[in-house]
């Protein structure tokens, strides 16, 4: 089969490209990415040169480009990771989130309608459900939980999900949606909590924690996420939504202290800062449907996953130091100039 993976130079998309290229050498994996600030082709260096991998630079909101790409490549499966995803950025600049996350999704769906595909898969987020109270540990997000967004980011993702299901019902496009909890693991952009805290702790810089750090997240290792998406694409029911959770709830403060302890750094590096507007208190996913229907189960618990992740950042300092310095942004020009 031929896959187009949009946003494949980002954190989760990049890990998915690695996973697919290595696991399915008989399939063709096309990595489509616009290389905005969080797109990093250095993430894909290990698969460069593989015969079943190809990178194409392009924007999913560019209709002429997308329709031309579908006509040329004739993909069987689309996996859409392409999205603006940083909540703080959505608060300061909501417009780009509407453009990429909503209009980009409808552009892809229109191309699928025109050219035909075996499956369109939308990678969404548990943030479309809003949040849960800290004093009700018995409550979890299920696939039937009503959408109740808190930020421009989650609103744009919820809107995209609604368009996906509308295109399925109206035009018969074969689709699936996955909604995941907070991901962590290799190749995560350093603005996110875990890599940010690792990089700052190693430099003995203050670790900013919103509010009192009590906000709880269900942490999912990115490898487990990739496995789940693979299962959904190949075995999931058409028109279905699947929640992907890690069974690993921890407060932000617990995560930060775990990182400090692993690196042998003092808790005095923690600096509490003003909370962000509309900060959700607790996310908790119930992945029972995915486990029951498709037989998925996570490989990592948080203890094993966070150790692996910290070690990866220690072993790959050049990768994230290039991001912090801005050097990563020049990789495309160095590698692809004159080739595309």
């Amino acid at each position: 089969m031929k896959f187009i993976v949009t946003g494949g130079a980002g954190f989760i998309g990049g890990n998915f490209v690695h996973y697919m290229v290595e696991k399915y050498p008989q399939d063709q994996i096309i990595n489509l990415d616009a290389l905005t600030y969080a797109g990093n082709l250095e993430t894909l260096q290990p698969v460069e040169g593989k015969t079943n991998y190809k990178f194409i630079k392009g924007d999913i909101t560019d209709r002429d480009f997308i329709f031309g790409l579908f006509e040329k490549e004739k993909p069987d499966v689309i996996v859409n990771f392409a999205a603006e995803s940083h909540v703080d950025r959505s608060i300061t600049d909501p417009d780009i989130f509407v453009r990429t996350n909503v209009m980009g999704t409808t552009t892809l769906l229109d191309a699928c309608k025109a050219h035909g595909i075996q499956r369109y898969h939308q990678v969404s987020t548990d943030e479309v459900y809003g949040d849960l109270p800290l004093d009700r540990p018995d409550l979890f997000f299920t696939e039937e939980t009503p959408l109740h967004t808190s930020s421009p980011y989650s609103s744009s993702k919820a809107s995209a999900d609604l368009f996906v299901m509308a295109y399925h019902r109206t035009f018969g496009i074969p689709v699936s949606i996955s909604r995941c909890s907070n991901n962590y693991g290799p190749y995560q952009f350093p603005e996110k909590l875990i890599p940010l805290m690792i990089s700052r702790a190693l430099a003995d810089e203050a670790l900013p924690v919103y509010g009192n750090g009590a906000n709880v997240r269900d942490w999912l290792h990115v490898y487990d996420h990739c496995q789940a998406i693979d299962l959904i694409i190949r075995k999931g029911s058409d028109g279905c939504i699947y929640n992907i959770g890690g069974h690993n709830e921890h407060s932000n403060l617990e995560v930060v202290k775990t990182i400090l302890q692993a690196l042998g750094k003092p808790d005095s590096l923690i600096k509490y800062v003003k909370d962000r507007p509309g900060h959700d208190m607790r996310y908790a996913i119930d992945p029972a449907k995915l486990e029951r229907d498709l037989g998925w189960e996570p490989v990592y618990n948080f203890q094993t996953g966070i150790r692996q992740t910290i070690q990866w950042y220690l072993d790959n300092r050049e990768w994230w130091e290039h991001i912090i310095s801005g050097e990563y942004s020049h990789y495309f020009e160095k590698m692809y100039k004159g080739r595309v």
Side-chain angles (χ1 to χ4, degrees), residues 175-307:
V175 305
S176 52
I177 297 173
S178 58
R179 293 172 177 158
C180 66
S181 54
N182 278 42
N183 277 223
Y184 69 101
Y187 299 112
Q188 189 168 26
F189 206 72
E191 70 183 2
K192 299 292 188 175
L193 178 69
I194 288 176
L196 177 67
M197 298 303 154
I198 293 171
S199 63
R200 293 187 68 88
L202 288 172
D204 294 311
E205 296 175 339
L207 276 56
V209 173
Y210 282 127
N212 60 6
N215 305 73
V216 170
R217 301 293 181 259
D218 174 20
W219 292 95
L220 175 69
H221 194 282
V222 68
Y223 179 82
D224 291 324
H225 190 185
C226 292
Q227 279 196 315
I229 292 173
D230 183 25
L231 270 175
I232 293 167
I233 291 168
R234 296 174 188 274
K235 298 181 179 180
S237 297
D238 185 18
C240 272
I241 298 170
Y242 295 89
N243 283 347
I244 311 172
H247 294 296
N248 294 296
E249 288 187 58
H250 294 279
S251 71
N252 289 345
L253 186 59
E254 288 172 339
V255 171
V256 171
K257 287 187 174 182
T258 297
I259 292 169
L260 288 171
Q261 184 178 15
L263 296 176
K265 300 292 184 176
D267 287 359
S268 58
L269 287 176
I270 296 172
K271 180 182 180 182
Y272 296 98
V273 299
K274 182 181 178 181
D275 211 349
R276 72 183 179 207
H279 197 177
D280 290 334
M281 288 308 300
R282 173 176 172 253
Y283 302 150
I285 282 270
D286 179 3
K289 178 179 178 180
L290 182 64
E291 294 169 339
R292 180 185 66 248
D293 293 358
L294 302 185
W296 176 82
E297 59 182 26
V299 171
Y300 291 93
N301 60 37
F302 189 71
Q303 289 69 37
T304 58
I306 194 65
R307 286 199 299 269

Side-chain angles (χ1 to χ4, degrees), residues 109 118-121 164-165 167-168 173-177 237-240:
L109 290 167
Q118 294 182 26
R119 174 64 63 90
Y120 173 94
H121 183 76
V164 171
M165 296 309 295
Y167 271 67
H168 171 66
I173 294 175
V175 305
S176 52
I177 297 173
S237 297
D238 185 18
C240 272

